[in-house]
Amino acid sequence: MCEKWPDFGEKHWLDVHREEWIDDLTSLLKIPSLSQKCCPESSQPFGKECAEALDRALAIAQKYGLEVQCHQYYCGTAVLRGTQPALGEIGIFLHLDVVPPGEGWQYPPFEAVRKDGYIIARGSRDNKGAAIAALYALRYLREKGISLKHNVRLFFGCNEELGMEDIQYYLKSHEEPVFSLVPDSPFPVCYGEKGVIDLKIKKSRRGSKNVLCSLKGGIAINQVPDLAEATLQADGEWMSLEEKEISVTKEKEKFHVKAHGRAAHSAYPEGSDNAVVKLAKYLKDSGVLEEDELNWMEFIVNYFDSAYGENLGIASANTEGDRLTCVVTMMNVSENEFQASINIRYPAHEAGELICRKLQEKMGEAGISIEEMSDNPGYCLDRNYQLINILNDIVCRRLGMEKQPYIAKGGTYARKLTHPAVGFGPNQPGRHPFGPGKGTGHLPDEAVSISELETAMMIYAQALPAIDNYLKNYEEEDR
């Protein structure tokens, strides 16, 4: 059990600096720093907006006395110097890139609306709010004269949502921290993550007459799509099929079909409604598709109507909370080709290679080509590692709850680090702003609680000295 955290005037400090940190966060949230494909030859490899967000974060950190450095706009770092830097660094890994806003917002996604104790904007919860919480924790320690022996390095990434090329670039030429926090998950402590397989598939169109002119659905490979649209050229008033949340309009000789669903992070498909699958079902039953078009829609429905991979032969036998998930997240039909993207999350102890082999077999049987396939294995720390329990105890005392460390479904920078790293807030468990399908990361009206983010600041301010002290003692015992 940890010692009681002394009263360093937390409440007064937070009251004094509340509008400051909200202004700093707002300035980051107003930058639409959408994840983009890596362009190594560019001076801004992940796009102008990601570079702008990084410049802004580093300017905030420098304003509060941290030493900052931009690493070719792949990422940036800010350092609070310790008294014995030779001991190594404690890392805090954060990201400034965000997923596209998608449909269904009541509030503008990049205006940072403040309402009912929340700040509503894309990136507020994933992960810019966490970046400000960690930065202000360091500011608090510095201004209160609470010195650490290790350096503490904040890492601001620009490509976490779309490949993590940022952290891989950084680790090629920089020493890894001896221990790291990754504030990109619910409290208390996440000590492992599922593996992730991303799959892009395609099939050539061979029909003599294309009824399906085009189809597009989904906006990110790690998000359950909430909108899918198709244009068809077909004879007759065939749109008499009644389907909830499907709209059909006619313009001249073409029909426009739109399917609405309910978005979610692809790692958490429970309660979502996949618009791509919904549209595929509708088109499959329409009776107007050519044979190859019908075969494709049947393939999508047969294999992805369930989000757990049963018909692909990859379903996990694990418990509900740790089962494999398999979601078709994007689909595109052009004049010559059918395409789709699939995101799979599998338990950390399972072999990704075996799952990939099964996928290759199933795609081959269906006549589907695999365009890209990547396996990003999960990780799991030893549950008896003492720092896990120290950090868990800090959170539980602060929040007045009893929670155990856990393994997460989502993927963060922690899986790219070889030294121990844990997911550590800033979100509190069980909170779902604005009800199901709203408020959390990757969903419409993403929001962060002002009071919860301030609690996270103080949890980090307490946790860092505890980590510093544990690592120092461990180093001394090792010597």
Side-chain angles (χ1 to χ4, degrees):
M1 302 292 281
C2 65
E3 295 180 3
K4 181 175 174 61
W5 177 242
D7 181 6
F8 288 108
E10 293 176 7
K11 184 179 184 306
H12 175 72
W13 191 89
L14 290 170
D15 288 343
V16 168
H17 296 293
R18 181 166 299 120
E19 295 307 317
E20 267 185 295
W21 77 253
I22 291 175
D23 286 346
D24 285 334
L25 176 55
T26 298
S27 70
L28 283 175
L29 294 173
K30 288 187 173 183
I31 302 170
S33 49
L34 302 181
S35 297
Q36 297 186 33
K37 279 285 188 181
C38 178
C39 303
E41 67 279 358
S42 171
S43 60
Q44 297 174 336
F46 306 117
K48 177 184 175 183
E49 288 78 13
C50 281
E52 183 182 349
L54 179 57
D55 281 338
R56 179 64 193 141
L58 294 179
I60 295 170
Q62 189 172 43
K63 178 171 64 174
Y64 300 132
L66 303 185
E67 299 176 17
V68 303
Q69 185 177 0
C70 177
H71 303 280
Q72 304 299 316
Y73 285 106
Y74 278 79
C75 57
T77 56
V79 177
L80 177 67
R81 290 289 171 189
T83 59
Q84 298 180 36
L87 291 174
E89 294 182 341
I90 299 168
I92 306 180
F93 284 80
L94 309 136
H95 68 91
L96 303 173
D97 61 311
V98 301
V99 298
E103 301 289 318
W105 287 72
Q106 180 180 352
Y107 303 93
F110 295 108
E111 289 190 14
V113 174
R114 185 171 170 182
K115 181 178 175 62
D116 299 333
Y118 287 90
I119 302 171
I120 307 164
R122 176 57 88 223
S124 58
R125 195 173 178 94
D126 182 17
N127 188 233
K128 293 176 180 178
I132 289 298
L135 197 159
Y136 266 73
L138 296 192
R139 181 185 179 186
Y140 176 84
L141 293 176
R142 186 173 181 274
E143 292 183 0
K144 291 296 181 179
I146 303 171
S147 62
L148 306 180
K149 294 173 178 60
H150 296 77
N151 288 346
V152 180
R153 184 178 295 270
L154 298 182
F155 173 97
F156 299 112
C158 295
N159 186 234
E160 194 270 354
E161 297 286 5
L162 203 63
M164 301 190 191
E165 298 287 340
D166 46 4
I167 188 172
Q168 294 176 70
Y169 174 87
Y170 178 79
L171 293 177
K172 285 179 182 177
S173 55
H174 295 82
E175 188 174 350
E176 189 178 316
V178 293
F179 181 84
S180 295
L181 300 176
V182 185
D184 198 2
S185 60
F187 282 125
V189 180
C190 170
Y191 67 98
E193 296 176 357
K194 284 185 172 182
V196 181
I197 294 173
D198 286 327
L199 187 69
K200 293 186 179 181
I201 58 175
K202 64 181 181 179
K203 186 177 183 180
S204 297
R205 300 185 68 172
R206 296 187 175 89
S208 58
K209 177 187 175 183
N210 289 338
V211 173
L212 186 58
C213 303
S214 64
L215 185 151
K216 187 173 180 62
I219 56 175
I221 200 166
N222 57 1
Q223 183 169 325
V224 177
D226 60 357
L227 178 67
E229 302 176 86
T231 301
L232 298 88
Q233 187 153 0
D235 297 327
E237 298 295 325
W238 59 274
M239 68 280 204
S240 58
L241 276 172
E242 292 188 7
E243 181 72 28
K244 185 181 179 182
E245 295 181 326
I246 296 278
S247 64
V248 183
T249 57
K250 185 177 181 182
E251 184 179 345
K252 296 182 180 179
E253 298 302 316
K254 291 185 177 179
F255 294 93
H256 301 281
V257 186
K258 185 179 290 188
H260 293 276
R262 186 164 56 252
H265 194 296
S266 58
Y268 303 89
E270 298 80 11
S272 66
D273 188 12
N274 194 315
V276 162
V277 175
K278 180 181 288 186
L279 181 58
K281 284 182 182 178
Y282 184 85
L283 296 176
K284 176 178 76 70
D285 296 335
S286 68
V288 301
L289 297 182
E290 288 286 294
E291 183 179 4
D292 70 328
E293 298 168 340
L294 178 61
N295 289 341
W296 176 263
M297 297 306 161
E298 288 178 339
F299 166 79
I300 293 296
V301 173
N302 289 343
Y303 287 115
F304 303 105
D305 187 26
S306 164
Y308 303 103
E310 293 93 340
N311 289 344
L312 285 167
I314 60 173
S316 168
N318 285 65
T319 59
E320 184 74 20
D322 193 34
R323 69 194 296 194
L324 176 146
T325 58
C326 177
V327 180
V328 57
T329 54
M330 294 189 286
M331 184 161 72
N332 183 63
V333 178
S334 62
E335 183 179 353
N336 301 313
E337 200 169 61
F338 303 100
Q339 297 176 324
S341 297
I342 297 103
N343 183 256
I344 297 167
R345 311 286 170 129
Y346 63 92
H349 67 272
E350 292 192 4
E353 291 180 2
L354 179 59
I355 296 171
C356 289
R357 283 201 299 272
K358 288 182 179 180
L359 290 169
Q360 289 170 334
E361 291 173 5
K362 284 292 184 182
M363 297 303 129
E365 292 170 3
I368 306 292
S369 300
I370 295 177
E371 188 175 13
E372 295 179 24
M373 183 161 60
S374 63
D375 178 18
N376 191 349
Y379 83 99
C380 188
L381 297 182
D382 182 346
R383 177 62 183 82
N384 295 316
Y385 182 45
Q386 192 175 349
L387 261 180
I388 294 173
N389 296 319
I390 291 172
L391 294 173
N392 202 78
D393 185 55
I394 288 172
V395 172
C396 289
R397 288 192 178 203
R398 280 273 177 177
L399 301 184
M401 65 179 191
E402 290 294 331
K403 288 280 186 179
Q404 294 299 313
Y406 65 96
I407 295 175
K409 299 178 182 180
T412 72
Y413 287 132
R415 67 179 57 233
K416 297 297 184 183
L417 298 166
T418 58
H419 294 167
V422 297
F424 197 55
N427 307 320
Q428 292 189 21
R431 300 296 297 272
H432 206 105
F434 315 133
K438 292 270 190 176
T440 60
H442 294 224
L443 294 185
D445 295 326
E446 178 181 345
V448 68
S449 162
I450 291 173
S451 63
E452 287 183 14
L453 212 54
E454 290 188 340
T455 299
M457 291 177 193
M458 294 301 105
I459 288 174
Y460 297 146
Q462 182 176 356
L464 287 167
I467 295 168
D468 183 63
N469 187 58
Y470 173 84
L471 293 175
K472 177 187 72 70
N473 292 339
Y474 181 82
E475 286 285 336
E476 289 175 352
E477 289 174 8
D478 193 48
R479 286 197 297 270

